[in-house]
Amino acid sequence: MRKHDWNILDENEQPLDHLVANGGMCAIFRSIGCIGDSLSSGEFESSVGFHDMFEYSWGQFMARNGGYKVLNFSRGGMTAKEYRESFAEANDFWNPDKLCQAYVIALGVNDLLNFGHPLGTIDDIREDYRDNPDTFIGNYTAIIGRLRSMRPDAYFFLMTMPNEPDLEPQRIERKMEHRQAIFEIAKQFPRTYVLDLYAYAPLYDAEFRRRYCMGFHMNPMGYAITARMVESYIDYLIRHNPEDFYQVPYIGTTLRNETVKY
């Protein structure tokens, strides 16, 4: 049997070339918060309406796969604007008891594609997050800013929208604007990474929808495969940047090892 060399990584590996089955290195986090809309809430479409069924959300599939705690900070129709202005407060999501070691943020579909909120610019990220203006970038980064003020050493994984080639050109353009904004936002904060589903997830084309969707939203298999993609992407980032994640056990404590990067 060939002995595995644990020190060698394929330099040509792409983020979703290797799908983990049990959380992979994502399991170094013991608590993960999912901030998002219907697609983060396990929403299904029935003949009478729309239903958030959180046990089917990709976050809860991740929790069962990897054995860590995942909290859903989401709801169908959610926007960064509503989350910042009222939703999080109304649902006690700023409670220090609900702070997590890492957050996956998947917002923007409703803000930009459905409600036409202004995108804003990177200049909307102010030194004090409370001063951020009412744009998508301003509201989105105010969420990050408030969480960082409470847990400065948390990690953030920002999700781009997947590539749907059959969309109208205007909606594709908005997706690309969102993607560019997400990359720019990630540069502004430490311990912040992009989960670029637009580039690395499968095309969300007719065949993908036949297998993994039920209407606009996912079917059960779709949420399960999304969980595999999210945890595998995070696994990839950790394996390729191990020094960034040495201090994960100390998140939320005063402990540090000052001899390493973080």
Side-chain angles (χ1 to χ4, degrees):
M1 181 180 294
R2 181 176 179 272
K3 184 177 180 180
H4 186 78
D5 188 338
W6 294 95
N7 296 315
I8 294 178
L9 290 174
D10 180 358
E11 63 181 17
N12 297 314
E13 181 189 5
Q14 298 300 310
L16 295 181
D17 285 351
H18 173 63
L19 288 183
V20 299
N22 60 354
M25 290 293 179
C26 190
I28 69 172
F29 295 109
R30 304 315 303 153
S31 58
I32 299 174
C34 296
I35 300 174
D37 50 34
S38 59
L39 295 174
S40 300
S41 304
E43 182 159 306
F44 295 112
E45 301 173 30
S46 76
S47 57
V48 298
F50 299 86
H51 316 279
D52 285 348
M53 303 181 71
F54 290 100
E55 284 301 299
Y56 280 94
S57 68
W58 50 260
Q60 295 309 314
F61 274 107
M62 286 176 60
R64 293 188 289 271
N65 291 345
Y68 33 77
K69 179 174 69 174
V70 177
L71 298 180
N72 287 91
F73 303 127
S74 62
R75 193 207 67 212
M78 187 51 51
T79 63
K81 176 181 175 68
E82 183 181 357
Y83 195 96
R84 175 193 184 183
E85 292 181 350
S86 61
F87 179 71
E89 190 73 42
N91 288 276
D92 198 32
F93 288 162
W94 303 123
N95 189 325
D97 291 339
K98 296 180 180 179
L99 288 172
C100 298
Q101 292 184 321
Y103 294 89
V104 180
I105 304 183
L107 288 168
V109 172
N110 292 309
D111 301 78
L112 301 176
L113 273 65
N114 296 334
F115 298 146
H117 293 172
L119 176 66
T121 72
I122 213 69
D123 291 335
D124 294 339
I125 305 175
R126 306 292 166 79
E127 184 174 352
D128 185 336
Y129 69 85
R130 291 170 292 190
D131 295 332
N132 287 13
D134 181 17
T135 64
F136 172 71
I137 291 176
N139 291 321
Y140 189 101
T141 57
I143 296 168
I144 298 174
R146 182 161 181 176
L147 289 169
R148 283 206 177 280
S149 73
M150 302 171 72
R151 177 145 289 173
D153 47 1
Y155 287 74
F156 288 81
F157 300 94
L158 314 182
M159 190 181 293
T160 68
M161 303 179 205
N163 187 349
E164 298 177 85
D166 299 330
L167 285 182
E168 313 85 83
Q170 183 180 10
R171 292 174 73 83
I172 293 176
E173 182 179 356
R174 292 296 273 173
K175 278 198 171 194
M176 296 307 296
E177 292 171 350
H178 174 270
R179 180 173 181 256
Q180 182 178 356
I182 292 300
F183 274 98
E184 289 299 318
I185 289 167
K187 295 176 184 177
Q188 309 304 312
F189 298 97
R191 293 178 296 281
T192 302
Y193 306 82
V194 176
L195 304 181
D196 190 8
L197 298 191
Y198 189 93
Y200 297 110
L203 285 178
Y204 281 40
D205 55 14
E207 180 60 18
F208 181 92
R209 290 195 168 280
R210 183 185 73 81
R211 292 179 178 274
Y212 296 116
C213 294
M214 185 164 60
F216 174 77
H217 297 88
M218 296 287 185
N219 62 30
M221 294 73 74
Y223 289 116
I225 197 65
T226 302
R228 295 280 299 279
M229 287 191 275
V230 174
E231 61 196 357
S232 298
Y233 207 132
I234 295 175
D235 169 86
Y236 167 88
L237 290 169
I238 295 170
R239 287 188 293 104
H240 284 261
N241 305 280
E243 296 89 351
D244 291 4
F245 297 90
Y246 286 169
Q247 311 277 9
V248 164
Y250 301 149
I251 295 172
T253 76
T254 59
L255 298 173
R256 290 292 180 273
N257 185 322
E258 301 299 340
T259 65
V260 295
K261 180 178 179 181
Y262 280 83

